[in-house]
Amino acid sequence: MSAELPAGTHNARPFRNGVLFNDSEADRLRYAGRDGTEDRAMAVPKYPLKDLRHAEFDDGHVARQGFARGLAVLSDSVVVGGSSPSTVVVYDLAGNRRIVSVNLSMDVRNAIHGLEVWPYD
């Protein structure tokens, strides 16, 4: 299987009958089915500028809020994504929505890059 992915893609992986990935340029977690009938794009959380720490480093390239990075699969329809500033979100692909999110820091310099399901099988 192969797929064309947008520039700025992170954490791409085969998933179900398509590909699951972070579309970091668009600040979205995405799932695209191979046959084109299913295409999900869910926005990562963004916060009011007044609530961010070190927003002066938000140059749109190196450190910025909304940067989608980090991805783990919980089930056939529930996945977890990371983003900056330090946010972890559980997404429901079937409902095309966020189930819950947790923010650990409002510092735009910090992003959740690696996620794993524990305990490991």
Side-chain angles (χ1 to χ4, degrees), residues 13-96:
R13 60 177 288 162
F15 182 72
R16 296 190 329 213
N17 189 34
V19 63
L20 180 68
F21 61 97
N22 279 314
D23 184 347
S24 296
E25 292 290 317
D27 303 334
R28 302 276 189 274
L29 179 133
R30 291 193 56 197
Y31 168 70
R34 186 186 305 200
D35 61 7
T37 59
E38 189 173 14
D39 189 4
R40 309 279 182 195
M42 291 163 284
V44 300
K46 290 198 176 177
Y47 304 95
L49 289 176
K50 67 177 183 57
D51 294 339
L52 298 176
R53 292 185 56 228
H54 300 288
E56 68 273 13
F57 293 108
D58 187 344
D59 65 0
H61 300 288
V62 177
R64 66 178 177 83
Q65 77 161 318
F67 184 79
R69 189 79 182 262
L71 187 59
V73 173
L74 295 181
S75 74
D76 203 35
S77 63
V78 178
V79 298
V80 180
S83 63
S84 71
S86 297
T87 303
V88 177
V89 179
V90 178
Y91 295 93
D92 170 18
L93 291 176
N96 208 41

Side-chain angles (χ1 to χ4, degrees), residues 88-116:
V88 177
V89 179
V90 178
Y91 295 93
D92 170 18
L93 291 176
N96 208 41
R97 65 183 182 95
R98 290 185 225 154
I99 295 173
V100 66
S101 68
V102 176
N103 173 267
L104 304 171
S105 167
M106 292 303 281
D107 189 333
V108 298
R109 300 173 299 175
N110 299 312
I112 304 298
H113 280 71
L115 293 167
E116 289 292 333

